[in-house]
Amino acid sequence: MTVKVAFQSVAAMALVALAVAVPMGTALAGPTLDAVKARGEVVCGVHTSLYGFGAPDDKGVWRGIDVDVCRAVAAAVFGDDKKVKYVPLSAQARLTAVQSGEVDLLSRNTTWTLTRDTANGLNFTGINYFDGQGFMVSKKLGVKSAKELSGATVCVQTGTTTELNLADYFRANKMELKPVTIEKYEEVTGAFVAGRCDAITSDASQLAAIRANDTPNPADFVILPEMISKEPLGPSVRQGDDQWFDIVKWALFAMIEAEERGLTSANVEAALKSPDPNVQRMLGVTGDLGKGMGLDNKWAYNIIRTVGNYGESFERNVGMGSKLQLARGLNAQWNDGGLMYSPPIR
Amino acid sequence: MPMTPASSPHRAVSGTHVAWWNDRRIRGVLYQVLVVVGVLALVAYLIDNTLTNLAHRNIATGFGFLGREAGFGVSESVIPYSPADTYLAVLVVGLLNTLKVSVIGIVLATVIGTLFGVARLSRNWLVARFATIYVETLRNIPVLLQLFFWYSLITEALPGPRQALNPLPGIFVSSRGLKLPEPVWQTTHLWMGVAFLAGIVGAWALGRWARLRRERTGALFPSLQAGAALIVGLPVIVWLLSGAPTEMSVPELRGFNFTGGVTVTPEFTALLIGLVLYTGTFIAEIVRGGILAVAHGQTEAGLALGLSRGQVLRLIVLPQALRVIIPPLTSQYLNLTKNSSLAVAIGFPDLVSTANTAINQTGQAVEGIAVIMAVYLTVSLSIAGFMNWYNQRIALKGARG
């Protein structure tokens, strides 16, 4: 009889499992915006600790150019940029986190590629940093060009486009490669600084962050001139929810457009009285632009008021107002020699 | 379970025909069928649900990616590998690395564990205390932290390749790993391998003959020493007969790194040390428990019969202790193999590490995880199967009836 009892309890467990499993199929139905509003916060996937892009400061407040995208989306939805729950993700975990719906959006210096935009089930909403992959070496090594790196041991973070570009570059130039691939950003940097590798490869902005933040003496390290890839970094969302896709896309565009129109967190209050019809539309003084996305008409006003425009975000996080001291370069406005260009907000 | 009509008490007692839905035998079968159908339906539902959701989110499915070019490099491999090879190849590379560290780790952990297990029972105060401190410290620190410790110790404490330590000619120690000279491949080595295998077979046959003779006549034969001599001696004889070739590939500093020779990488070393020392503590306790499980009276009786201490250990204590030791030892072997998946934290390209990268580059997490789980299950079941076979071999004959 004990055998039968065991079987019955297995059957009972199976039924419980079935009951638990059923909602999985229906979880897709609700649009993300409704879920976010009901929850009262945006769940945003960010870097674990990349200074300038996504890292908590010494008071535990998340800061960075990627973090500002999360804040902009929260400001657009709630009028409050603090209604964000930050989920730090490793390079490996990030794509799965978006696919599975663990995060509402991913804003974690992620390169926009065709595979990720299609077969991986993501939708990239735009580009908030135009980057390229480079190499950093110790000055003591006396290397002047990436072409001299044949036979070098190179530290690289796993699960990145960087890893593929590295292998491609060495193959294309018939150079011998000894990669050391480690999952965690902190461990890769640690291994490089300890001298496990001759060179470390990553996006140039990230190398600057490592040099400024993680090396004992930044002057001992040099970033080589070659850029071996295009790395357009941007936020992404899950496929299948066009409304949410639009909100994240236009939250970033609003920041870029605000810079072009000279709207800043300091002057946006006064700009509400601007006679310019473009500014009036954008700030929700006239028109119904927010409604089309299921948002308040003050969505862009709230973004600029709390987060600031793209230029402000750039300068305080990675530009001259930060330790990284990065020049605008490709990330300047289109009418200023860069690639930042927002479609018309009308 | 009553399986024949004659054993059904209802029929036997009442003599009348019981309705089929009240028949215990039919009910028993019915319940089992229902449960099996239920479980299968649940599995089918979960698979279908997953596939539907994946399709809904436009995420690629299927194992087609295994045949595509992987495109990423791997730091160390037992077999030749280049980024132009397929995802399947890179998974095999990872599996072989996992097996490499597991096999070497199991052998070393057994040796370390046995030494410290015996040492904890030593009458020497210092030896026993030292063993106790080792066991109690290392088994109470999470193994992941130990791996980080060994890895940073190796990379931080050792000098760079240009200032490498050179303790013996041809041997270099640096933060890039341990570089050793390697014999240049010759056909002689193939024959030495054959001789090595022949030595193992010979040692086994010799041991069997010695055991049968001992059981028949009581005469002893030093089969352990003779067997070891066979296994080591035969390859040496082959090497001498073929003119004793000594051509070596010696590591040499060229450009950034050493070329030539073999490399033991810091990642592999840290992983091996971490796993061996951690698992060794558990094995030490198992060995200690196994030896204590053999009543001391048996040792005394053996000594009274005039056996030497070594003979008492080998012929009386060990065979009985092994019966207690083997089942928990199997679990430790499985633990070591599974813990090797922590390699990803310190950059050793084991199966989990390479499969994770493959998952990330293809975005096919479900398939990748399925591959990892299937492989670990297969490896673990193989180890468990082998250990169960060995356990049955050494069990007391006739004890289970």
Side-chain angles (χ1 to χ4, degrees), chain A residues 256-265 267-268 271 279 304 309:
Chain A
I256 298 171
E257 177 83 0
E259 186 188 13
E260 192 186 335
R261 298 210 173 275
L263 299 171
T264 66
S265 52
N267 70 15
V268 71
V279 173
I304 303 165
N309 67 32

Side-chain angles (χ1 to χ4, degrees), chain A residues 49-64:
Chain A
S49 65
L50 179 58
Y51 178 85
F53 284 78
D57 66 9
D58 50 10
K59 293 180 191 66
V61 180
W62 282 88
R63 296 202 186 282

Side-chain angles (χ1 to χ4, degrees), chain A residues 8-26:
Chain A
Q8 280 166 343
S9 55
V10 166
M13 283 193 300
L15 281 175
V16 171
L18 200 66
V20 171
V22 167
M24 282 166 53
T26 55

Side-chain angles (χ1 to χ4, degrees), chain B residues 128-205:
Chain B
R129 285 300 162 279
F130 180 68
T132 306
I133 290 171
Y134 158 71
V135 168
E136 293 303 341
T137 316
L138 288 196
R139 79 167 170 173
N140 288 312
I141 298 176
V143 65
L144 181 62
L145 297 183
Q146 296 192 31
L147 294 185
F148 282 140
F149 171 77
W150 292 115
Y151 188 54
S152 47
L153 189 75
I154 291 172
T155 50
E156 303 269 358
L158 293 175
R162 292 182 191 181
Q163 296 84 34
L165 306 173
N166 192 356
L168 289 169
I171 296 178
F172 296 91
V173 184
S174 71
S175 61
R176 303 298 161 78
L178 174 66
K179 307 277 170 177
L180 302 167
E182 176 188 33
V184 176
W185 174 254
Q186 277 152 344
T187 42
T188 310
H189 295 128
L190 184 69
W191 291 113
M192 284 170 72
V194 172
F196 178 73
L197 290 180
I200 290 178
V201 173
W204 175 79

Side-chain angles (χ1 to χ4, degrees), chain A residues 92 153 158-159 179 196 239, chain B residues 57-58 75 176 257 267 357 360:
Chain A
Q92 279 205 328
T153 311
T158 185
R196 171 66 184 97
Q239 288 181 6
Chain B
R57 292 171 201 173
N58 297 327
S75 55
R176 303 298 161 78
N257 283 315
E267 290 79 24
T357 308
N360 211 273

Side-chain angles (χ1 to χ4, degrees), chain A residues 181-235:
Chain A
T181 42
I182 303 183
E183 183 188 4
K184 289 188 74 168
Y185 166 78
E186 294 81 1
E187 297 295 325
V188 184
T189 347
F192 169 69
V193 174
R196 171 66 184 97
C197 307
D198 299 303
I200 185 169
T201 183
S202 191
D203 298 343
S205 62
Q206 197 163 352
L207 295 178
I210 293 171
R211 186 168 66 169
N213 249 12
D214 300 315
T215 57
N217 182 10
D220 289 345
F221 294 87
V222 56
I223 297 174
L224 300 178
E226 283 88 351
M227 286 291 148
I228 67 169
S229 71
K230 291 186 290 185
E231 303 288 336
L233 311 178

Side-chain angles (χ1 to χ4, degrees), chain A residues 106-343:
Chain A
L106 178 71
S107 185
R108 189 208 170 280
N109 61 321
T110 302
T111 306
W112 185 351
T113 68
L114 185 143
T115 310
R116 288 175 176 171
D117 212 8
T118 55
N120 290 7
L122 269 60
N123 266 342
F124 282 82
T125 64
I127 297 168
N128 68 335
Y129 194 96
F130 289 91
D131 212 337
Q133 182 178 344
F135 294 93
M136 179 159 72
V137 295
S138 163
K139 263 192 189 146
K140 278 183 296 188
L141 217 54
V143 172
K144 294 278 176 287
S145 153
K147 292 261 169 27
E148 299 168 28
L149 285 175
S150 184
T153 311
V154 182
C155 278
V156 58
Q157 195 180 6
T158 185
T160 53
T161 47
T162 316
E163 201 179 355
L164 302 180
N165 295 333
L166 174 69
D168 286 353
Y169 182 76
F170 274 68
R171 259 162 87 188
N173 289 296
K174 299 201 168 51
M175 307 194 315
E176 196 198 337
L177 169 66
K178 291 195 179 107
V180 173
T181 42
I182 303 183
E183 183 188 4
K184 289 188 74 168
Y185 166 78
E186 294 81 1
E187 297 295 325
V188 184
T189 347
F192 169 69
V193 174
R196 171 66 184 97
C197 307
D198 299 303
I200 185 169
T201 183
S202 191
D203 298 343
S205 62
Q206 197 163 352
L207 295 178
I210 293 171
R211 186 168 66 169
N213 249 12
D214 300 315
T215 57
N217 182 10
D220 289 345
F221 294 87
V222 56
I223 297 174
L224 300 178
E226 283 88 351
M227 286 291 148
I228 67 169
S229 71
K230 291 186 290 185
E231 303 288 336
L233 311 178
S236 55
V237 297
R238 199 147 52 114
Q239 288 181 6
D241 188 342
D242 289 352
Q243 185 193 35
W244 184 247
F245 177 53
D246 287 341
I247 290 172
V248 177
K249 179 165 54 186
W250 286 97
L252 176 59
F253 280 145
M255 291 175 70
I256 298 171
E257 177 83 0
E259 186 188 13
E260 192 186 335
R261 298 210 173 275
L263 299 171
T264 66
S265 52
N267 70 15
V268 71
E269 197 70 48
L272 284 173
K273 298 188 184 66
S274 164
D276 185 343
N278 284 310
V279 173
Q280 287 180 355
R281 259 197 307 273
M282 184 171 170
L283 298 183
V285 179
T286 59
D288 248 351
L289 291 180
K291 291 274 187 298
M293 296 185 285
L295 298 176
D296 189 85
N297 279 336
K298 288 268 187 266
W299 66 283
Y301 166 76
N302 285 329
I303 293 175
I304 303 165
R305 182 174 56 84
T306 56
V307 185
N309 67 32
Y310 180 78
E312 291 179 77
S313 171
F314 189 98
E315 292 304 339
R316 76 169 167 258
N317 290 310
V318 297
M320 295 308 158
S322 75
K323 270 195 273 184
L324 300 190
Q325 305 272 310
L326 294 173
R328 285 295 287 268
L330 291 176
N331 297 295
Q333 288 284 333
W334 62 281
N335 49 13
D336 198 19
L339 294 172
M340 282 297 160
Y341 184 108
S342 164

